[in-house]
Protein backbone atom coordinates (compact mmCIF):
# COMPACT_ATOMS: atom_id res chain seq x y z
CA UNK A 1 0.00 0.00 0.00
CA UNK A 2 1.13 3.50 -0.71
CA UNK A 3 1.36 6.28 1.85
CA UNK A 4 2.68 9.80 2.20
CA UNK A 5 4.14 11.42 5.30
CA UNK A 6 4.63 15.16 5.57
CA UNK A 7 6.91 15.99 8.48
CA UNK A 8 5.78 19.12 10.25
CA UNK A 9 2.15 20.17 10.10
CA UNK A 10 3.23 23.79 10.65
CA UNK A 11 6.39 25.45 9.34
CA UNK A 12 7.30 29.09 9.89
CA UNK A 13 10.02 30.97 8.03
CA UNK A 14 11.09 34.59 7.70
CA UNK A 15 10.58 36.44 4.46
CA UNK A 16 13.64 35.84 2.27
CA UNK A 17 14.64 32.64 4.06
CA UNK A 18 14.84 29.15 2.58
CA UNK A 19 11.62 27.16 2.46
CA UNK A 20 11.93 23.40 3.02
CA UNK A 21 8.81 21.25 3.26
CA UNK A 22 9.40 17.56 3.79
CA UNK A 23 7.62 14.66 2.11
CA UNK A 24 8.41 10.97 2.41
CA UNK A 25 6.48 8.28 0.60
CA UNK A 26 6.02 4.56 0.74
CA UNK A 27 5.51 2.65 -2.48
CA UNK A 28 6.42 -0.83 -3.67
CA UNK A 29 6.56 0.30 -7.31
CA UNK A 30 8.06 3.37 -8.96
CA UNK A 31 6.12 6.36 -7.67
CA UNK A 32 4.79 9.42 -9.38
CA UNK A 33 4.85 12.39 -7.04
CA UNK A 34 3.07 15.72 -6.85
CA UNK A 35 3.05 18.89 -4.75
CA UNK A 36 -0.09 20.99 -4.52
CA UNK A 37 -0.68 24.37 -2.84
CA UNK A 38 -3.93 25.52 -1.25
CA UNK A 39 -4.72 29.10 -0.26
CA UNK A 40 -7.44 29.69 2.36
CA UNK A 41 -10.92 28.67 1.23
CA UNK A 42 -9.71 27.73 -2.24
CA UNK A 43 -9.08 24.56 -4.19
CA UNK A 44 -5.71 22.91 -4.70
CA UNK A 45 -3.31 24.10 -7.40
CA UNK A 46 -0.60 21.89 -8.86
CA UNK A 47 2.89 23.22 -8.07
CA UNK A 48 4.99 20.53 -9.71
CA UNK A 49 5.15 16.82 -10.52
CA UNK A 50 7.68 14.05 -10.93
CA UNK A 51 6.85 11.19 -13.26
CA UNK A 52 10.03 9.97 -14.95
CA UNK A 53 13.34 11.42 -16.08
CA UNK A 54 15.16 14.24 -14.32
CA UNK A 55 14.88 13.91 -10.56
CA UNK A 56 15.05 17.66 -9.91
CA UNK A 57 11.72 19.14 -10.88
CA UNK A 58 10.98 22.83 -11.20
CA UNK A 59 7.49 24.18 -10.68
CA UNK A 60 5.60 27.42 -10.50
CA UNK A 61 6.33 30.36 -8.20
CA UNK A 62 10.03 29.44 -7.88
CA UNK A 63 9.47 26.10 -6.14
CA UNK A 64 11.37 22.94 -6.92
CA UNK A 65 11.54 19.40 -5.56
CA UNK A 66 14.02 16.55 -5.84
CA UNK A 67 13.04 12.90 -6.07
CA UNK A 68 15.47 10.79 -4.02
CA UNK A 69 14.69 7.13 -4.44
CA UNK A 70 17.24 5.97 -1.85
CA UNK A 71 15.63 8.20 0.77
CA UNK A 72 12.04 7.76 -0.48
CA UNK A 73 11.71 11.52 -0.32
CA UNK A 74 10.35 14.34 -2.42
CA UNK A 75 11.04 17.50 -0.42
CA UNK A 76 9.82 20.87 -1.68
CA UNK A 77 12.15 23.87 -1.57
CA UNK A 78 12.26 27.54 -2.48
CA UNK A 79 15.42 29.62 -2.01
CA UNK A 80 13.72 32.77 -0.78
CA UNK A 81 10.28 32.89 0.84
CA UNK A 82 7.78 35.55 -0.09
CA UNK A 83 4.78 36.63 1.94
CA UNK A 84 2.54 35.31 -0.83
CA UNK A 85 3.89 31.78 -0.24
CA UNK A 86 1.90 31.51 2.98
CA UNK A 87 -0.50 28.63 2.29
CA UNK A 88 -1.00 24.93 2.92
CA UNK A 89 1.05 22.48 0.88
CA UNK A 90 0.14 18.88 0.08
CA UNK A 91 2.35 16.09 -1.19
CA UNK A 92 0.68 13.26 -3.15
CA UNK A 93 1.76 9.95 -4.69
CA UNK A 94 0.43 7.48 -7.21
CA UNK A 95 2.12 4.49 -8.77
CA UNK A 96 0.29 4.17 -12.04
CA UNK A 97 0.50 7.46 -13.87
CA UNK A 98 -2.26 7.57 -16.45
CA UNK A 99 -3.47 4.13 -15.51
CA UNK A 100 -6.99 3.18 -14.70
CA UNK A 101 -6.74 1.66 -11.28
CA UNK A 102 -4.64 3.69 -8.90
CA UNK A 103 -5.58 6.86 -7.10
CA UNK A 104 -3.67 9.81 -5.69
CA UNK A 105 -2.78 9.41 -2.04
CA UNK A 106 -2.38 12.73 -0.22
CA UNK A 107 -0.36 13.66 2.82
CA UNK A 108 -2.00 15.54 5.67
CA UNK A 109 -0.54 18.86 4.59
CA UNK A 110 1.97 21.42 5.90
CA UNK A 111 0.83 24.93 6.73
CA UNK A 112 3.54 27.42 5.81
CA UNK A 113 3.65 30.76 7.61
CA UNK A 114 5.95 33.54 6.38
CA UNK A 115 6.98 36.16 8.91
CA UNK A 116 7.88 39.70 7.80
CA UNK B 1 -11.67 29.35 -20.10
CA UNK B 2 -11.36 25.67 -19.22
CA UNK B 3 -11.80 24.67 -15.64
CA UNK B 4 -13.87 23.19 -12.87
CA UNK B 5 -16.73 24.98 -11.20
CA UNK B 6 -18.40 24.09 -7.93
CA UNK B 7 -21.59 25.54 -6.55
CA UNK B 8 -22.64 26.83 -4.19
CA UNK B 9 -19.54 28.22 -2.47
CA UNK B 10 -21.27 28.08 0.92
CA UNK B 11 -24.11 25.74 1.88
CA UNK B 12 -26.05 25.36 5.08
CA UNK B 13 -27.93 22.21 5.96
CA UNK B 14 -30.43 21.50 8.67
CA UNK B 15 -30.37 18.23 10.54
CA UNK B 16 -32.03 15.45 8.52
CA UNK B 17 -31.81 17.19 5.17
CA UNK B 18 -30.22 15.92 2.00
CA UNK B 19 -28.19 18.47 0.04
CA UNK B 20 -26.56 18.27 -3.37
CA UNK B 21 -23.24 19.86 -4.30
CA UNK B 22 -22.63 20.65 -7.95
CA UNK B 23 -19.40 20.00 -9.88
CA UNK B 24 -18.97 20.78 -13.57
CA UNK B 25 -15.86 20.60 -15.75
CA UNK B 26 -15.19 21.65 -19.34
CA UNK B 27 -11.72 20.14 -19.57
CA UNK B 28 -13.00 17.01 -21.36
CA UNK B 29 -11.53 14.90 -18.57
CA UNK B 30 -12.66 11.32 -18.20
CA UNK B 31 -12.20 10.98 -14.43
CA UNK B 32 -13.82 13.01 -11.67
CA UNK B 33 -13.45 12.87 -7.90
CA UNK B 34 -14.99 14.13 -4.68
CA UNK B 35 -12.89 14.78 -1.60
CA UNK B 36 -13.72 15.87 1.90
CA UNK B 37 -11.26 18.11 3.75
CA UNK B 38 -11.22 18.53 7.52
CA UNK B 39 -8.59 20.51 9.44
CA UNK B 40 -5.46 18.46 10.05
CA UNK B 41 -6.69 15.45 8.06
CA UNK B 42 -5.76 16.31 4.53
CA UNK B 43 -8.00 15.13 1.71
CA UNK B 44 -10.11 12.01 1.97
CA UNK B 45 -11.63 10.45 -1.13
CA UNK B 46 -15.41 10.05 -1.08
CA UNK B 47 -16.25 8.81 -4.59
CA UNK B 48 -14.63 8.75 -7.99
CA UNK B 49 -15.74 8.08 -11.54
CA UNK B 50 -13.66 7.08 -14.53
CA UNK B 51 -16.41 7.08 -17.16
CA UNK B 52 -20.02 8.12 -17.58
CA UNK B 53 -22.56 5.96 -15.73
CA UNK B 54 -19.87 4.35 -13.59
CA UNK B 55 -18.43 5.33 -10.21
CA UNK B 56 -16.63 3.72 -7.28
CA UNK B 57 -16.61 4.28 -3.55
CA UNK B 58 -13.59 5.93 -2.04
CA UNK B 59 -12.39 5.71 1.54
CA UNK B 60 -15.33 7.47 3.22
CA UNK B 61 -18.40 6.89 1.00
CA UNK B 62 -20.90 6.19 3.79
CA UNK B 63 -23.62 8.84 3.91
CA UNK B 64 -22.86 10.15 0.43
CA UNK B 65 -24.15 9.37 -3.06
CA UNK B 66 -23.14 10.45 -6.57
CA UNK B 67 -24.23 10.17 -10.17
CA UNK B 68 -22.37 10.52 -13.47
CA UNK B 69 -24.94 10.92 -16.19
CA UNK B 70 -22.81 13.32 -18.24
CA UNK B 71 -19.07 13.47 -18.76
CA UNK B 72 -18.85 17.05 -17.55
CA UNK B 73 -20.97 16.71 -14.40
CA UNK B 74 -20.47 14.79 -11.12
CA UNK B 75 -22.88 15.95 -8.41
CA UNK B 76 -22.48 14.82 -4.80
CA UNK B 77 -25.43 14.34 -2.45
CA UNK B 78 -24.80 14.51 1.26
CA UNK B 79 -27.58 12.45 2.81
CA UNK B 80 -29.08 12.58 6.27
CA UNK B 81 -27.16 9.38 7.01
CA UNK B 82 -23.91 11.38 7.09
CA UNK B 83 -23.71 12.25 10.77
CA UNK B 84 -20.92 14.79 10.62
CA UNK B 85 -21.15 16.53 7.26
CA UNK B 86 -19.64 19.89 8.20
CA UNK B 87 -16.49 20.13 6.05
CA UNK B 88 -14.93 21.63 2.95
CA UNK B 89 -15.76 19.60 -0.16
CA UNK B 90 -13.49 19.57 -3.18
CA UNK B 91 -14.20 18.25 -6.65
CA UNK B 92 -11.39 17.34 -9.05
CA UNK B 93 -10.95 15.93 -12.52
CA UNK B 94 -8.16 14.31 -14.50
CA UNK B 95 -7.35 12.38 -17.61
CA UNK B 96 -7.65 9.01 -15.87
CA UNK B 97 -5.20 9.08 -12.97
CA UNK B 98 -2.81 11.73 -14.12
CA UNK B 99 -2.50 14.91 -12.10
CA UNK B 100 -5.82 16.17 -10.81
CA UNK B 101 -7.24 19.63 -11.29
CA UNK B 102 -9.38 21.01 -8.50
CA UNK B 103 -12.42 23.21 -8.26
CA UNK B 104 -12.73 26.08 -5.76
CA UNK B 105 -14.63 24.03 -3.18
CA UNK B 106 -17.94 24.14 -1.29
CA UNK B 107 -18.05 24.76 2.43
CA UNK B 108 -20.94 22.86 4.01
CA UNK B 109 -22.15 23.71 7.48
CA UNK B 110 -24.79 21.91 9.47
CA UNK B 111 -27.03 24.21 11.48
Amino acid sequence: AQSVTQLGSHVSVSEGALVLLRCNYSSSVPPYLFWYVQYPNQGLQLLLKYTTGATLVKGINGFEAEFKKSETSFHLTKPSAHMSDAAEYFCAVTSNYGGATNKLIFGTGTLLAVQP
Amino acid sequence: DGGITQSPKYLFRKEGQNVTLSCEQNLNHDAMYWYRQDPGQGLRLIYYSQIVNDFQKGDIAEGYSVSREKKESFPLTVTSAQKNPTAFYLCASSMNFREQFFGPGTRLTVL
Side-chain angles (χ1 to χ4, degrees):
Chain A
Q2 294 174 293
S3 65
V4 175
T5 301
Q6 291 185 240
L7 297 175
S9 59
H10 292 79
V11 170
S12 182
V13 301
S14 299
E15 190 173 19
L18 171 71
V19 175
L20 171 60
L21 304 182
R22 299 179 186 273
C23 173
N24 288 88
Y25 68 89
S26 171
S27 179
S28 59
V29 295
Y32 300 102
L33 296 152
F34 308 84
W35 275 100
Y36 285 85
V37 61
Q38 184 181 34
Y39 297 98
N41 291 312
Q42 295 186 25
L44 276 66
Q45 179 183 7
L46 182 67
L47 271 179
L48 49 80
K49 64 184 179 185
Y50 168 78
T51 54
T52 58
T55 56
L56 182 62
V57 180
K58 294 186 184 299
I60 62 172
N61 302 338
F63 284 93
E64 62 182 35
E66 186 171 10
F67 169 59
K68 292 187 176 181
K69 183 178 179 181
S70 61
E71 298 177 8
T72 61
S73 69
F74 191 56
H75 302 331
L76 182 71
T77 61
K78 183 174 180 178
S80 177
H82 191 272
M83 296 296 290
S84 62
D85 295 327
E88 190 158 21
Y89 293 79
F90 292 92
C91 182
V93 64
T94 187
S95 64
N96 193 3
Y97 188 67
T101 56
N102 283 4
K103 299 163 284 185
L104 279 184
I105 306 300
F106 286 88
T108 53
T110 296
L111 188 62
L112 176 66
V114 181
Q115 308 299 327
Chain B
D1 283 338
I4 302 173
T5 58
Q6 292 186 241
S7 62
K9 186 170 179 63
Y10 298 96
L11 185 58
F12 298 91
R13 191 192 95 167
K14 294 182 180 179
E15 295 278 353
Q17 274 186 336
N18 291 354
V19 292
T20 297
L21 284 60
S22 170
C23 177
E24 304 276 334
Q25 56 98 0
N26 61 4
L27 300 168
N28 199 33
H29 284 169
D30 294 314
M32 297 186 75
Y33 316 78
W34 274 106
Y35 292 91
R36 170 179 172 142
Q37 187 176 26
D38 297 280
Q41 296 194 46
L43 277 71
R44 292 184 290 169
L45 184 63
I46 304 172
Y47 270 98
Y48 63 102
S49 169
Q50 296 174 247
I51 57 172
V52 173
N53 293 322
D54 187 51
F55 48 83
Q56 288 77 41
K57 292 181 179 180
D59 301 318
I60 56 164
E62 184 175 353
Y64 300 98
S65 66
V66 294
S67 62
R68 186 88 186 274
E69 297 177 0
K70 298 185 295 183
K71 186 176 184 178
E72 59 269 25
S73 178
F74 192 41
L76 173 75
T77 296
V78 184
T79 75
S80 56
Q82 172 49 242
K83 297 307 179 187
N84 184 24
T86 294
F88 191 51
Y89 290 87
L90 288 161
C91 178
S93 71
S94 73
M95 289 302 294
N96 285 326
F97 290 95
R98 296 178 182 268
E99 61 269 26
Q100 295 179 17
F101 296 85
F102 284 80
T106 292
R107 187 165 297 280
L108 174 63
T109 303
V110 174
L111 300 175

